[in-house]
DNA sequence: GTTTATGCAAATTCTTTGCAATACT
DNA sequence: AGTATTGCAAAGAATTTGCATAAAC
């Protein structure tokens, strides 16, 4: 059983060609992807609408998580730390202004923040922008 | 001279009805706004396209800054700390999952992060999600 | 066989561009 | 008067929804 199948059966989702293709594409690309990225790559495999629905389903089941961005495009990633059972989004994202790729820096701990009173926080996201190791 | 006029003349931008209306709307709403938010409110004042162009201009001149979001919509804000001459985006944004509003927490300092080698950072953004004081 | 996922069509929303008309200084 | 801004029209992306077909269990 491949990695994609394991992920799907873990989450009790039906194993379909489209879903495997989406997971495989994320596994092959370590940076965050948009729906149009997937659509371009998988146009021979499945429909545009199917990709939207797969993304929705994967978000609900904790296979994908949203990645913050400043340019108004919604990005998604399948992080190392999210491939096993505990799903935690609390990590740092780095967007390279040269290659445009956003990657998850799982190894960097999220710093603690002192919030104003009466604010409760459920999710932390940090987005750094600059030049990545490859482009510098 | 009103607040909007001061901001525009500080940046050596022409003072027009549309631009004043956009600034006034940001001044009246302390949370981050999308272009559609502005479009809905200002449809009697100016055209949809004008709003896009004003946003672009204001971003370039440091009147507005982009606010990171996880739902694929581009948000903008006019922060307290950006109304004077030094424009700094390095602050924490908080999105309330109840009312959906994103606000700038200017008073909270951005924590320092130890990055991997060969990464250089130009911009820091932090997005917290949870429940704000008003909604809790 | 039953349930769930997919494909197709179509509608909606968001964003960008070109050019003529208008408003600002 | 001269220049920058705006409005309108139109095109191009991105996203959502409904329903019939097809695939998975």
């Amino acid at each position: 059983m491949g990695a994609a199948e394991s992920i799907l059966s873990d989450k009790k989702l039906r194993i379909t060609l489209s879903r495997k293709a989406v997971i495989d594409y994320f596994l092959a690309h370590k940076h965050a992807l948009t729906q149009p990225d997937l659509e371009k790559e998988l146009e021979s495999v499945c429909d545009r609408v199917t990709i939207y629905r797969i993304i929705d389903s994967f978000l609900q089941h904790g296979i994908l998580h949203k990645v913050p961005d400043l340019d108004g495009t919604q990005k998604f990633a399948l992080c190392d730390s999210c491939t096993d059972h505990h799903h935690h989004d609390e990590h740092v994202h780095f967007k390279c202004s040269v290659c445009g790729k956003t990657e998850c820096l799982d190894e960097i701990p999220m710093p603690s923040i002192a919030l104003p009173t009466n604010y409760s926080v459920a999710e932390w996201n940090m987005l750094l922008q600059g030049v990545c190791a490859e482009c510098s």
Side-chain angles (χ1 to χ4, degrees), chain A residues 23-60:
Chain A
I23 294 178
D24 285 341
Y25 192 62
F26 272 105
L27 287 171
H29 295 81
K30 286 301 180 189
H31 57 271
L33 300 168
T34 64
Q35 186 278 343
D37 291 335
L38 291 163
E39 185 179 331
K40 211 172 300 169
E41 185 67 20
L42 304 178
E43 66 178 341
S44 60
V45 179
C46 64
D47 192 71
R48 170 188 314 147
V49 179
T50 299
I51 296 174
Y52 281 106
R53 290 192 273 227
I54 288 175
I55 290 172
D56 283 347
S57 162
F58 284 6
L59 286 173
Q60 283 180 13

Side-chain angles (χ1 to χ4, degrees), chain A residues 107-121:
Chain A
E107 67 276 10
I108 297 184
M110 181 66 64
S112 64
I113 298 279
L115 274 191
T117 48
N118 295 325
Y119 279 71
S120 64
V121 179

Side-chain angles (χ1 to χ4, degrees), chain A residues 62-121:
Chain A
I63 295 175
L64 291 179
H65 66 269
K66 294 182 180 180
V67 175
D69 202 291
L70 284 174
D71 64 8
T73 57
Q74 198 160 10
K75 291 187 171 179
F76 309 96
L78 180 78
C79 282
D80 292 343
S81 51
C82 304
T83 52
D84 54 20
H85 288 282
H86 73 299
H87 183 66
H88 63 98
D89 289 344
E90 278 78 42
H91 57 246
V92 176
H93 295 98
F94 184 91
K95 178 171 183 177
C96 176
S97 53
V98 177
C99 62
K101 292 178 184 169
T102 302
E103 57 184 314
C104 301
L105 300 179
D106 293 304
E107 67 276 10
I108 297 184
M110 181 66 64
S112 64
I113 298 279
L115 274 191
T117 48
N118 295 325
Y119 279 71
S120 64
V121 179

